[in-house]
Amino acid sequence: MQDNFYELASSQDQLGATLIRDALIPDILGKDNNILYWAGRRLARLFPLAKDEELPIFFEQANWGKLERVKAKKEQQYFELTGQIVETRQKLNSACEFLIEAGFLAETIQNQLGFVTEAIIDKKTHGTVTILVQVDTKDPLDLDFIEEQQPLNILAGSEEN
């Protein structure tokens, strides 16, 4: 990690989140960081989104970056995550992970489409993270085992303002 971690993170008003996310958690988890992916999936179950269009809004509000779907096929979707927070995190720690974001995407899309879904970090370049979401349309969810949650419905909330 760079010597100027504190200076860079605090200059971007991101010290609190980056201290936990890119200094403490990697130190605690070591190389076994896959729990972050499952944490992202859990967050998506706690904060389900009603509509696909709410994903970029949620990502911005969570300060995870700007999310954009750049390519979509029947069983694959590619997303790019960009923005100041992505650049800052990559400067602070070149090995930073975006597994929470990938897990959140996988679970949200899985719950919206009704098929088993996984996501992987496809590529990381300076300032951009590409996430591949793979939907298995041959493996529908068993809805009897899914706890029903009231979705956030972010778009409806923003229309009232």
Side-chain angles (χ1 to χ4, degrees):
M1 207 170 302
Q2 298 178 0
D3 293 334
N4 65 349
F5 186 100
Y6 174 82
E7 288 84 11
L8 183 57
S10 62
S11 72
Q12 301 294 324
D13 293 325
Q14 300 167 357
L15 182 60
T18 53
L19 278 174
I20 294 168
R21 184 97 188 260
D22 295 311
L24 181 61
I25 290 176
D27 194 46
I28 292 171
L29 296 178
K31 293 182 185 208
D32 188 23
N33 58 5
N34 286 334
I35 194 167
L36 296 175
Y37 179 79
W38 297 106
R41 290 189 79 111
R42 177 68 182 147
L43 286 172
R45 288 190 296 276
L46 291 172
F47 303 99
L49 301 180
K51 298 181 172 106
D52 190 50
E53 299 83 18
E54 295 175 327
L55 273 167
I57 297 167
F58 185 89
F59 268 65
E60 293 259 356
Q61 291 174 341
N63 200 26
W64 289 347
K66 180 181 179 207
L67 183 71
E68 180 182 1
R69 181 180 287 112
V70 293
K71 188 175 178 183
K73 298 179 184 176
K74 183 178 179 184
E75 295 182 348
Q76 291 183 331
Q77 299 180 42
Y78 285 88
F79 292 85
E80 283 186 352
L81 186 60
T82 59
Q84 185 62 51
I85 187 66
V86 175
E87 289 180 30
T88 300
R89 290 186 62 216
Q90 288 176 329
K91 285 179 187 175
L92 293 172
N93 179 358
S94 61
C96 68
E97 297 289 344
F98 294 86
L99 294 173
I100 291 174
E101 294 87 342
F104 190 90
L105 267 175
E107 188 72 19
T108 298
I109 292 171
Q110 173 175 288
N111 292 337
Q112 289 176 347
L113 297 179
F115 295 99
V116 172
T117 303
E118 296 294 339
I120 61 166
I121 305 302
D122 187 54
K123 181 171 47 171
K124 287 194 289 187
T125 59
H126 177 69
T128 303
V129 176
T130 304
I131 302 171
L132 166 61
V133 177
Q134 182 74 38
V135 180
D136 186 352
T137 57
K138 295 181 178 117
D139 195 0
L141 297 178
D142 186 347
L143 300 177
D144 292 336
F145 293 102
I146 295 177
E147 181 182 335
E148 193 167 327
Q149 280 282 80
Q150 187 66 27
L152 288 179
N153 211 348
I154 295 172
L155 289 175
S158 66
E159 291 168 0
E160 293 171 4
N161 296 333

